[in-house]
Amino acid sequence: MAQFACISVDSQGQKIETRHEAASIQEVSSFLRTRGLTPVSVNKIKKEALARQSARELFTLLRPKQIKMSEVASFFRQLATMLEGGVNLSECLDGLSSQTENKHFGHLLRQTREYVAWGRKFSQALSEYPRIFPPLVTEMIAVGEESGLLDEVTSQVASYLEGQIDLKKKVQNATRYPVFITGFFLLVVGVMVFYLIPQFKEIFASYGAELPAITQFVLNTSDFFIKNLPYEIILLLGLVVFGLGYSRTEKGKERLDRIKLKLPIVAKLIYYLVLARICRTLGLLLHSGVPLVMALDHTATIAENRVAENALKEIRERIVEGSTLAQEMRKQSFFPPLVAGMTHTGERSGTLSEILPKLADFYDRELDYRIKALTSTLEPILIVGLGVVVAFFVMSMYYPIFNLSTVMG
C-alpha cells in the first residue's frame, strides 16, 4: 500500500486536498468519486517526503499546550456564527484554519477538515485530539450532529468554554496581588537575612559590647539560616520533589483536594468554583440531549476535584440502579441542600437542564462576592504584615546604634 496526495473538487467547486492510502491511483480515484468528489490530481508520495511530512505532523501534534482554551472557544464561536449563516462545515473549517494565527491550531483544523472530507463525522474528527477537544465537547458535538442542531450546540460549547475561562480569570485576578505581595515579602526577608543582617553583625562585632536581646536574636537567626543554607536547599528540593510525586498519585490527589476544601481562607472559593463548574456542565450536557448517566460521567472528569468526582461517580452508579439525582445528592455531603433541593424541583417539573445553569450563575455570583471580599481583606493584611517585618528589622538593627553610648559601655 502506498500514500497518495490528492487534489479534488466537490459538488460546489470547492478545492479539497487530502491524503489516502491505496494500492493504485485508480483505487484512490474510485474512492474519491464514491464520496462525491472529482479528482484533479493524484500523486504518489515518496517515502522520504512522507517521512518528513509525518515527522512534521507528529512534532506539531505533540505540542498541544501551545493551543490555548481561548483559541478553542473563539473557534467554536466563529464556527457557530458561520453555520448559522448557512456555510457548510467543510468551508467553515477551511476558512477558520487559514484565519487562525496559531499555526499549530491551523494545522489541527486542516487535519480535521480532511477527516470530515473523508466521510468521518465532525465529532469523530475532534476526538482525534482529546487534549484539545475533551470528551465532553466531542459528545456534545455528536449529539448536535444527530439532532441536526450543530450550529446551536457549537454556540453552547463556545459559551461553556468562555465561562470556564472567565472563572479561571476571576481566581487568577484574585490571587495575583496577594501572590505578588507574598513574593515581595519573601524577597525582602531573604535580602535582610542573607545580606543586610551580616553587614550589621560586622559593625556590632567591632563594638565588642553586649547587644540587646532582640538584636542578638535576629543575628542568631540569620547565622542559623546562612550556615545551614545547603541543607535548606536540599530540604526544599526534597519537599518539592516529594510533593510533586505524591500529588500525581491517586491517593495524593484525593488527599490534596480534601485539604483544599478545608483551608481556612480559600476553601469556600474552591468549593463554589467546583459547584459552579459541575452545575453548568451538567446542565449544558442535559440541555444538549446527552443522557444523564453519560452527562454525569463527563461532569466527573472535568470537576477537577477528586472529592466531587468520587461523589458524582457514586451518584451515577445509584442512578443506574434506579435512584434519582436529587435523592443521591442528598446522601453526598459534598452537595449542599440548596443544590439537592433545586435538583429535586427540576426533576419533578422536567426543567432540570434549565435550573442547573441558574444554580451555576448563583455560585458564580457568590464566588465573585467572596473574591472581592477576600481581596479587600488580604491586601491591607499583607501590607501591614510586610510593614511589621520591616519595622521589626529596623528596630532590632538600629536600636543599638541609637543607644551607642550604652552599647559601647
Side-chain angles (χ1 to χ4, degrees), residues 4 38 50 74 95 114 189 201 203 218 323 333 351:
F4 294 88
T38 302
L50 179 61
S74 177
E114 289 187 11
V189 172
K201 182 181 179 181
I203 296 174
V218 172
S323 185
S333 59
T351 58

Side-chain angles (χ1 to χ4, degrees), residues 101-137:
E101 297 180 358
N102 189 324
K103 61 181 181 179
H104 300 284
F105 195 31
H107 175 83
L108 185 149
L109 293 180
R110 285 190 293 273
Q111 286 288 95
T112 302
R113 180 182 178 278
E114 289 187 11
Y115 285 136
V116 173
W118 295 343
R120 301 182 68 182
K121 292 183 177 180
F122 183 39
S123 56
Q124 292 175 333
L126 295 181
S127 66
E128 295 290 332
Y129 314 102
R131 296 180 65 180
I132 307 301
F133 306 103
L136 178 145
V137 171

Side-chain angles (χ1 to χ4, degrees), residues 21-284:
E21 184 176 347
S24 63
I25 294 178
Q26 291 77 12
E27 183 177 335
V28 176
S29 300
S30 176
F31 173 79
L32 292 173
R33 290 192 180 93
T34 60
R35 297 293 179 182
L37 302 175
T38 302
V40 176
S41 68
V42 180
N43 298 311
K44 185 176 181 180
I45 303 175
K46 295 181 180 180
K47 292 183 178 180
E48 295 80 6
L50 179 61
R52 288 195 299 270
Q53 184 176 0
S54 298
R56 285 196 300 270
E57 291 178 0
L58 180 62
F59 177 74
T60 299
L61 296 179
L62 284 178
R63 302 175 66 185
K65 290 184 179 179
Q66 294 189 356
I67 300 175
K68 301 177 181 178
M69 184 185 292
S70 58
E71 294 174 319
V72 179
S74 177
F75 159 70
F76 279 112
R77 179 62 66 195
Q78 295 178 64
L79 178 61
T81 302
M82 296 176 73
L83 291 174
E84 290 172 0
V87 184
N88 68 57
L89 180 60
S90 182
E91 290 181 1
C92 291
L93 294 174
D94 186 42
L96 293 175
S97 65
S98 61
Q99 292 175 16
T100 180
E101 297 180 358
N102 189 324
K103 61 181 181 179
H104 300 284
F105 195 31
H107 175 83
L108 185 149
L109 293 180
R110 285 190 293 273
Q111 286 288 95
T112 302
R113 180 182 178 278
E114 289 187 11
Y115 285 136
V116 173
W118 295 343
R120 301 182 68 182
K121 292 183 177 180
F122 183 39
S123 56
Q124 292 175 333
L126 295 181
S127 66
E128 295 290 332
Y129 314 102
R131 296 180 65 180
I132 307 301
F133 306 103
L136 178 145
V137 171
T138 55
E139 187 63 37
M140 289 179 62
I141 295 297
V143 173
E145 288 177 311
E146 293 175 4
S147 62
L149 300 173
L150 186 58
D151 55 344
E152 180 180 339
V153 170
T154 50
S155 179
Q156 292 173 355
V157 170
S159 298
Y160 170 76
L161 294 176
E162 290 164 354
Q164 297 304 304
I165 293 171
D166 288 340
L167 279 177
K168 290 184 178 180
K169 284 183 177 179
K170 289 176 184 177
V171 176
Q172 290 173 354
N173 292 335
T175 57
R176 184 176 291 117
Y177 184 77
V179 168
F180 170 76
I181 293 295
T182 303
F184 185 70
F185 172 84
L186 294 175
L187 177 63
V188 170
V189 172
V191 171
M192 289 191 300
V193 170
F194 294 101
Y195 178 74
L196 292 179
I197 294 177
Q199 300 294 323
F200 279 94
K201 182 181 179 181
E202 294 180 4
I203 296 174
F204 297 149
S206 64
Y207 295 157
E210 183 178 353
L211 297 174
I214 186 174
T215 304
Q216 192 62 52
F217 170 77
V218 172
L219 294 178
N220 292 340
T221 302
S222 176
D223 282 342
F224 175 82
F225 280 107
I226 292 174
K227 291 178 180 178
N228 295 283
L229 183 59
Y231 303 105
E232 293 160 12
I233 294 175
I234 294 174
L235 177 62
L236 181 61
L237 291 176
L239 290 174
V240 170
V241 172
F242 173 77
L244 290 175
Y246 183 70
S247 65
R248 292 177 180 176
T249 64
E250 291 299 319
K251 185 178 180 180
K253 290 177 181 178
E254 183 173 352
R255 179 166 294 181
L256 287 175
D257 284 338
R258 289 188 182 277
I259 292 174
K260 290 177 184 178
L261 294 174
K262 295 179 180 179
L263 294 175
I265 298 177
V266 299
K268 281 293 183 182
L269 293 181
I270 297 173
Y271 185 52
Y272 288 155
L273 180 66
V274 175
L275 281 176
R277 183 183 294 122
I278 289 174
C279 292
R280 192 172 303 284
T281 303
L282 188 57
L284 181 60

Side-chain angles (χ1 to χ4, degrees), residues 316-337:
R316 178 196 176 280
E317 293 176 1
R318 300 297 177 270
I319 289 177
V320 171
E321 296 173 358
S323 185
T324 66
L325 180 60
Q327 288 176 348
E328 296 308 318
M329 279 186 169
R330 288 194 179 99
K331 298 177 183 178
Q332 297 291 335
S333 59
F334 179 83
F335 293 99

